[in-house]
Amino acid sequence: MSNNLTPVVNFLTRLSNATLWLAGTGLVLMTVFVAWQVFCRYVLNDSPSWTEPGSVMLMSWFIFLGAAVGIRENNHLGFDVLLYVLPKSGKRVLRMISDVVILAFGAGMIWYGGALISLTWNTTLPSLGISGAFDYLPLAGGGVLAVVFSLERIVLRLAGEPIDDALDEILPAEIAVEIENINADPNVKLKV
């Protein structure tokens, strides 16, 4: 990796790790909130009003933050079928298109999430006592991270970094199973 990009990539790695920890913490907190609600409802016969909206809000946060980390780690949804039959240059083009589409989608999340935030900023969520904008902050925040992480992938690919080489070594699960079955036959040996 070029020395010019190393500090940026290191920073984005720390950001990605912090984001993943934050998303994981949100998942744990949501689980605690739901467990508390169930306990209060069925044991104490008195459900707190904040647990359900609080859980939904936390769920939004960990979904959007986790999705952004998935983009950086290349675990997002994609159409991989063509990638298994194309030459390396064709794979590079398809992955670049995928990253550009993700970047555009992230920009849309920022734009529309920002519009929703501005529309709901002066409202109050009665059960939580906070601004209604907090419902839409995860959308815009996840959009910012999606843009940053997809832009990182685009820049690294354009700089000639081998970010796709590890992906090119992965075989689809069905092919891997077939190769394993063929290798299990003592009369046939297939090298991968």
Side-chain angles (χ1 to χ4, degrees):
M1 181 176 311
S2 73
N3 289 336
N4 296 339
L5 295 175
T6 302
V8 174
V9 171
N10 289 340
F11 170 76
L12 291 177
T13 299
R14 288 191 302 277
L15 178 63
S16 175
N17 290 338
T19 301
L20 192 58
W21 274 98
L22 190 60
T25 302
L27 177 61
V28 170
L29 278 174
M30 186 197 77
T31 304
V32 169
F33 287 5
V34 170
W36 180 248
Q37 170 142 4
V38 169
F39 175 79
C40 287
R41 178 180 296 157
Y42 293 109
V43 175
L44 303 177
N45 202 22
D46 183 27
S47 283
S49 63
W50 59 268
T51 53
E52 186 177 346
S55 297
V56 170
M57 188 177 296
L58 284 172
M59 184 171 56
S60 297
W61 275 106
F62 73 73
I63 286 172
F64 285 115
L65 295 178
V69 172
I71 290 167
R72 182 163 198 271
E73 296 179 359
N74 202 38
N75 290 326
H76 55 81
L77 291 175
F79 296 103
D80 294 343
V81 176
L82 285 176
L83 294 175
Y84 297 116
V85 296
L86 287 176
K88 193 171 186 175
S89 61
K91 292 177 183 182
R92 185 174 188 262
V93 169
L94 282 182
R95 288 184 177 126
M96 184 65 86
I97 291 169
S98 175
D99 287 334
V100 169
V101 168
I102 291 168
L103 183 122
F105 189 80
M109 290 170 61
I110 295 167
W111 179 264
Y112 291 108
L116 289 168
I117 289 168
S118 68
L119 284 173
T120 58
W121 191 259
N122 293 324
T123 63
T124 301
L125 298 174
S127 56
L128 297 175
I130 59 175
S131 170
F134 283 96
D135 269 341
Y136 302 104
L137 281 173
L139 178 62
V144 168
L145 290 173
V147 166
V148 168
F149 292 149
S150 60
L151 190 60
E152 175 196 22
R153 295 183 58 75
I154 291 167
V155 168
L156 288 174
R157 196 174 288 114
L158 290 175
E161 297 296 330
I163 64 171
D164 297 324
D165 287 354
L167 296 172
D168 291 338
E169 302 298 321
I170 299 172
L171 291 173
E174 295 82 12
I175 294 174
V177 168
E178 289 301 319
I179 291 171
E180 196 174 290
N181 290 340
I182 291 171
N183 282 335
D185 186 346
N187 299 324
V188 179
K189 281 296 174 195
L190 181 63
K191 299 288 182 195
V192 180

